Amino acid sequence: MAAATIVHDTSEAVELCPAHGLYLKPITKMTISVALPQLKQPGKSISNWEVMERLKGMVHSHQFSTLRISKSTMDFIRFEGEVENKSLVKSFLACLDGKTIKLSGFSDILKVRAAEFKIDFPTRHDWDSFFRDAKDMNETLPGERPDTIHLEGLPCKWFARKGSGSEKPSEDVLVRVFERFGEVRNVDIPMLDPYREEMTGRNFHTFSFGGHLNFEAYVQYREYAGFIQAMSALRGMKLMHKGEDGKAVACNIKVSFDSTKHLSDASIKKRQLERQKLQELEQQREEQKRREKEAEQRQRAEERKQKELEELERERKREEKLRRREQKQRDRASRRSQRKLEKLQAQGQRRLQEKIRTEERRLLLAQRNLQSVRLVAGLLSRAKC
């Protein structure tokens, strides 16, 4: 879906759900084709921008809300233009259709054709013939008859609960918006189902060019009249949102009738069973993850315990080694002390022996002196006789 555009004139807007600021505004688009001449001079080209500016100048005092190139070939340029109001479309077509453009530097004129944009929207004949011819549909059953609208490109923020702080769309808001046309039997917003993408293989989150998140939804009416009124009201309309500040923006949405039995009882039951299986599978995966996590935690705890034991063993060995080293140091010190003591004792013993020998010599000398004195005294006494 295209990006939301600012709406300056909301006079043609009709109420959808004013409580949520939602309105419907007529699509005011036109297609403009400009036939290009055969270029005879090589290297010469026609400027798409210049053609666009000439088209803007052809509508006199009016202005396009948007004007963009939808296709460009060697033979023509196709534009899509949008104006502010439905009433202006005829005026624009009168200014453009059948007119010509003369570009500077070119002798040929460019012929312009303009027509109201052909809206791609299903008709009553489309759904009547589809459900009449479908062999696998039972029109007595909800979801297998024209009762469900499929909407795409709805801005999430516009269907969020007020004051919730979330930009996720709400099924309650969707019901309140579309019950304007009749009693709603059921709704479904696939993006709100966390298992839906896995169930279908589709991505239900889409972004517009403006970067806003859009969603798709299914709205099923209890009565055929509600479906008819909704389709009639949405035909040729854009969705418009008016903020509390009065500023309005509008965006194109795609509307079609559901041809897939999306909200039939059988499809709902099938999705419920698939969701249940996926939930069980998810629970099994979660349980497996939990067991793996517990096993990993146990392993880490055992590894920590083993590391602690290894660290304690290393510490014990370090302490043992330190004790042995200290014991060796004490033994060496003891031996040194013992050797020193033995040395001192030996030195004392030697001094004592030396002293004894010295005293014995002195005694021997004294005895010899005494004997000498006695000998002399004996000789003297003999001499006197």
Side-chain angles (χ1 to χ4, degrees):
M1 296 296 102
T5 55
I6 297 173
V7 178
H8 299 287
D9 185 351
T10 61
S11 59
E12 292 183 349
V14 294
E15 292 183 353
L16 178 60
C17 184
H20 289 276
L22 293 175
Y23 299 80
L24 296 174
K25 184 182 181 301
I27 294 174
T28 53
K29 294 172 75 174
M30 63 191 75
T31 56
I32 307 164
S33 295
V34 179
L36 301 179
Q38 189 72 31
L39 298 177
K40 299 174 183 178
Q41 296 182 9
K44 199 170 186 180
S45 63
I46 292 175
S47 168
N48 291 348
W49 178 84
E50 186 179 356
V51 175
M52 184 182 291
E53 290 301 310
R54 291 296 180 92
L55 291 175
K56 290 179 180 178
M58 291 171 67
V59 296
H60 308 303
S61 59
H62 299 302
Q63 285 186 348
F64 286 99
S65 298
T66 60
L67 182 62
R68 68 179 188 89
I69 298 172
S70 60
K71 188 174 183 180
S72 178
T73 69
M74 295 294 292
D75 300 318
F76 66 89
I77 308 172
R78 183 174 296 144
F79 298 86
E80 278 188 9
E82 191 165 359
V83 296
E84 204 51 54
N85 286 320
K86 190 78 172 177
S87 58
L88 291 175
V89 173
K90 289 185 179 180
S91 300
F92 273 68
L93 294 178
C95 294
L96 296 169
D97 189 38
K99 303 298 189 294
T100 58
I101 295 174
K102 179 71 172 65
L103 297 179
S104 57
F106 293 90
S107 58
D108 297 325
I109 60 173
L110 282 63
K111 191 171 182 180
V112 179
R113 296 306 306 264
E116 194 168 348
F117 183 78
K118 187 177 179 181
I119 298 168
D120 181 18
F121 198 95
T123 64
R124 182 168 183 167
H125 172 74
D126 292 333
W127 61 73
D128 282 346
S129 59
F130 174 83
F131 287 100
R132 183 186 64 244
D133 299 337
K135 302 299 182 184
D136 60 339
M137 297 285 186
N138 183 351
E139 291 195 53
T140 63
L141 300 177
E144 300 187 33
R145 58 194 179 197
D147 60 5
T148 304
I149 296 176
H150 181 204
L151 302 124
E152 297 177 82
L154 300 172
C156 292
K157 192 174 181 180
W158 296 1
F159 289 83
R161 285 193 181 94
K162 286 188 175 182
S164 66
S166 170
E167 292 192 0
K168 277 190 174 183
S170 162
E171 290 187 350
D172 294 337
V173 174
L174 187 68
V175 169
R176 283 198 294 273
V177 171
F178 285 95
E179 67 184 0
R180 178 181 186 87
F181 307 111
E183 185 181 354
V184 174
R185 181 179 185 271
N186 207 345
V187 295
D188 181 43
I189 301 177
M191 70 170 286
L192 297 181
D193 184 352
Y195 301 97
R196 193 69 60 88
E197 289 185 9
E198 191 172 351
M199 287 160 56
T200 61
R202 287 180 56 201
N203 181 9
F204 293 99
H205 297 71
T206 58
F207 289 87
S208 69
F209 296 124
H212 299 292
L213 188 63
N214 294 334
F215 71 100
E216 66 173 288
Y218 295 84
V219 179
Q220 184 182 64
Y221 288 94
R222 191 170 294 279
E223 301 293 339
Y224 180 61
F227 172 81
I228 287 288
Q229 287 186 39
M231 293 295 281
S232 300
L234 294 171
R235 185 188 307 277
M237 291 292 192
K238 299 172 75 171
L239 185 64
M240 188 183 86
H241 181 267
K242 186 182 289 187
E244 294 178 357
D245 56 2
K247 293 180 180 179
V249 290
C251 71
N252 290 305
I253 60 173
K254 185 176 180 181
V255 181
S256 59
F257 63 90
D258 174 47
S259 59
T260 63
K261 303 183 185 180
H262 185 80
L263 288 178
S264 67
D265 292 341
S267 295
I268 292 172
K269 186 176 181 180
K270 181 181 177 183
R271 284 196 296 272
Q272 288 174 342
L273 291 173
E274 289 177 353
R275 187 181 301 108
Q276 185 177 348
K277 289 179 182 177
L278 288 172
Q279 286 173 339
E280 291 173 355
L281 185 61
E282 185 180 28
Q283 289 173 356
Q284 290 173 6
R285 286 197 294 259
E286 291 296 326
E287 181 64 22
Q288 180 66 22
K289 285 181 182 178
R290 186 186 63 78
R291 287 197 296 266
E292 289 175 356
K293 187 176 181 180
E294 289 178 352
E296 186 179 350
Q297 289 174 343
R298 284 196 300 270
Q299 184 178 354
R300 283 202 296 264
E302 289 174 1
E303 288 174 355
R304 280 197 303 269
K305 187 176 181 180
Q306 183 64 28
K307 286 180 180 179
E308 289 173 357
L309 291 173
E310 289 174 357
E311 184 63 28
L312 288 172
E313 181 63 18
R314 284 194 293 270
E315 183 66 23
R316 187 191 67 76
K317 288 180 178 180
R318 281 196 296 268
E319 291 176 355
E320 182 66 24
K321 187 176 180 180
L322 182 61
R323 282 196 296 270
R324 287 199 300 267
R325 185 184 298 132
E326 291 174 348
Q327 185 62 41
K328 285 181 181 179
Q329 289 174 349
R330 286 195 295 270
D331 292 344
R332 282 196 296 270
S334 177
R335 286 194 295 272
R336 283 197 299 269
S337 298
Q338 184 66 27
R339 286 197 296 270
K340 188 175 181 181
L341 179 60
E342 290 174 354
K343 187 177 179 181
L344 290 174
Q345 289 176 346
Q347 289 175 350
Q349 189 68 25
R350 284 195 298 273
R351 284 195 294 271
L352 180 60
Q353 294 294 330
E354 186 66 28
K355 188 175 181 182
I356 291 172
R357 283 194 295 273
T358 302
E359 291 297 323
E360 286 177 345
R361 286 183 64 191
R362 286 180 181 174
L363 180 59
L364 182 59
L365 289 173
Q367 289 176 347
R368 286 177 182 174
N369 287 335
L370 180 58
Q371 290 175 354
S372 298
V373 170
R374 287 178 177 171
L375 183 58
V376 171
L379 291 174
L380 287 176
S381 63
R382 284 180 186 177
K384 287 181 178 181
C385 295

